[in-house]
Amino acid sequence: MGIYEAITLLGIMVALAAIPSVSVALVVTCSATLGVGHGLAAAAGIVLADLMFMTLAIIGLSVVAEMMGGLFIIVRILGGLYLLWLGLSLLSTSRMTRFAIKNANGKYSFSASFMAGFLLTLGDIKAIFFYASLLPVFVDLSRIQASEVIVIGLITIFSVGCVKVIYAVFATNVATYAKRTNMESTARKAAGGLMIGAGGYLIFKA
């Protein structure tokens, strides 16, 4: 994986992480109702689950690439089609995420907030298909090196983690701003365009 591929992957993942979603709503809600620390704990849980999905995708695709050999091109084409579908879905959807900030009753531990983020993300099994489709765009999984796995892991931590941390720190402001602007629509269009580009490139490259 070269510098250009790493920067492009980082940009795509930042754009996707920035889209208001259920996980973003969880971080914002935890931070605004329980304190920034709880928002950060939820963000840490989300990042850990993403790292698990990323690792499983790399391991699974590496095995498939080794077993299928030249036929792995089929997997790449299917992955490209999935990214195209995902991009078009992001561009066409009109669903908006609602941020309901309420006063919290009772005491909650940081571990509870962490597990909430972890289990919420882990329950979205579609995430592993996303990583399985996106990663072949940037790295040859039949010859992936340990250094490339580390780089992908760091990109995941930085992109997903930093975006969620920003949401946690500015939770109340984000909730208010999201209601007054088309922030979500803009983020979806940006991420959708990137997904379509990545999918088209993967199919062309295959």
Side-chain angles (χ1 to χ4, degrees):
M1 175 184 287
I3 295 178
Y4 173 77
E5 288 80 7
I7 293 175
T8 304
L9 177 60
L10 175 64
I12 289 176
M13 293 190 65
V14 166
L16 287 172
I19 297 175
S21 60
V22 176
S23 64
V24 169
L26 173 65
V27 171
V28 170
T29 301
C30 285
S31 186
T33 59
L34 302 172
V36 175
H38 285 271
L40 296 177
I46 293 169
V47 171
L48 179 59
D50 268 301
L51 284 173
M52 290 181 60
F53 280 134
M54 180 270 293
T55 303
L56 289 173
I58 290 177
I59 294 174
L61 286 173
S62 298
V63 172
V64 172
E66 185 175 344
M67 292 176 59
M68 295 185 67
L71 292 178
F72 189 65
I73 187 175
I74 297 174
V75 176
R76 297 170 72 94
I77 292 175
L78 291 175
L81 291 173
Y82 176 77
L83 292 177
L84 287 175
W85 173 83
L86 180 59
L88 291 172
S89 297
L90 288 171
L91 291 176
S92 61
T93 185
S94 58
R95 178 177 61 84
M96 302 297 286
T97 302
R98 297 186 179 277
F99 297 96
I101 308 301
K102 301 177 180 179
N103 293 326
N105 296 317
K107 295 183 178 180
Y108 298 87
S109 65
F110 288 118
S111 60
S113 296
F114 173 86
M115 289 304 299
F118 179 72
L119 294 176
L120 176 69
T121 306
L122 207 61
D124 184 12
I125 196 66
K126 297 189 297 297
I128 196 170
F129 294 110
F130 162 72
Y131 282 112
S133 301
L134 185 64
L135 292 179
V137 177
F138 302 98
V139 62
D140 184 353
L141 290 162
S142 63
R143 294 181 297 178
I144 191 169
Q145 304 294 318
S147 58
E148 293 175 315
V149 176
I150 294 174
V151 169
I152 294 172
L154 291 175
I155 288 174
T156 302
I157 293 172
F158 182 81
S159 58
V160 179
C162 284
V163 170
K164 296 300 190 282
V165 165
I166 291 173
Y167 273 120
V169 174
F170 299 100
T172 304
N173 301 47
V174 167
T176 303
Y177 183 76
K179 291 179 181 179
R180 294 190 291 102
T181 67
N182 61 346
M183 178 184 73
E184 181 168 355
S185 176
T186 302
R188 286 184 182 278
K189 289 178 180 179
L194 289 171
M195 287 296 95
I196 291 174
Y201 175 76
L202 182 55
I203 293 174
F204 175 79
K205 185 179 177 181

